Amino acid sequence: WRTKQGWHVGGAATLTQIEEALAGELPAIDKMLRVFASRQIRHRATLAGNVVTASPIGDLPPILLALDAEIVLRSVRGERRVPIDAFFTGYRKTVRARDEVVTEIFWPHPADGATRRFETYKVSKRRELDISIVAGAFVLDVRDGTIERARLAYGGVAATPVRAKRAEAALVGGKLDEATI
């Protein structure tokens, strides 16, 4: 569901339900979901499941990294919110305790007045129904032609999904033009 702060996705929401709820509002996510397995699998697969498996070649973690998502975990001890940038700790490892479940994934809207540029890419052996060799998600929040926030996230290039933080820092403050890019 959408609030003034951002998008909230329940831990059990299937990819098809997410696609329908977004209703084309985030075409970059729609683009990635179209090449995520088959429609039948998207009817059962969840965003939370794709994240907690901690696969370095998962299609969706780079998107969540680019969107500065938070993973909401719950156990009998209570609830905690973990920035996705701190969620993955190693190859197929996360900070999630054995007794915790993902109850929600949240990502914020861009800051007021900023325009968001958002794109995703997936490289695989086959165009559809194949795991990623590499996947990327890129978000630039721009205000008055200046890049205010940059997130460049990749899967398939390290033991965990990662952000290119030095490249992000180099973009922030620059003009959105060919020279900066």
Side-chain angles (χ1 to χ4, degrees), residues 56-80:
I57 57 172
D59 291 342
L60 304 175
I63 291 173
L64 297 175
L65 279 166
L67 292 170
D68 283 334
E70 288 184 329
I71 309 300
V72 181
L73 300 166
R74 181 174 283 284
S75 71
V76 295
R77 294 179 308 283
E79 180 180 284
R80 65 183 177 129

Side-chain angles (χ1 to χ4, degrees), residues 19 41 43 62 72 76 80 83 90 95 100 102 106 125 131 138 146 156 162 169-170 173:
E19 189 175 30
I41 290 171
H43 277 310
V72 181
V76 295
R80 65 183 177 129
V95 298
E100 289 180 311
V102 175
F106 167 80
K125 289 181 182 178
I131 61 173
F138 312 99
T146 300
V162 294

Side-chain angles (χ1 to χ4, degrees), residues 77-147:
R77 294 179 308 283
E79 180 180 284
R80 65 183 177 129
R81 299 177 83 84
V82 179
I84 193 155
D85 199 29
F87 187 73
F88 303 105
T89 59
Y91 179 75
R92 293 207 175 257
K93 294 187 181 340
T94 71
V95 298
R96 185 182 68 87
R98 292 179 64 87
D99 65 341
E100 289 180 311
V101 295
V102 175
T103 58
E104 180 184 320
I105 296 173
F106 167 80
W107 65 85
H109 296 305
D112 286 341
T115 301
R116 177 161 283 172
R117 304 284 182 102
F118 178 23
E119 190 55 74
T120 59
Y121 296 94
K122 174 179 176 172
V123 176
S124 56
K125 289 181 182 178
R126 293 186 309 266
R127 184 169 166 247
E128 296 173 335
L129 305 175
D130 201 359
I131 61 173
S132 293
I133 294 170
V134 68
F138 312 99
V139 170
L140 297 177
D141 289 345
V142 180
R143 185 185 313 267
D144 301 322
T146 300
I147 300 169

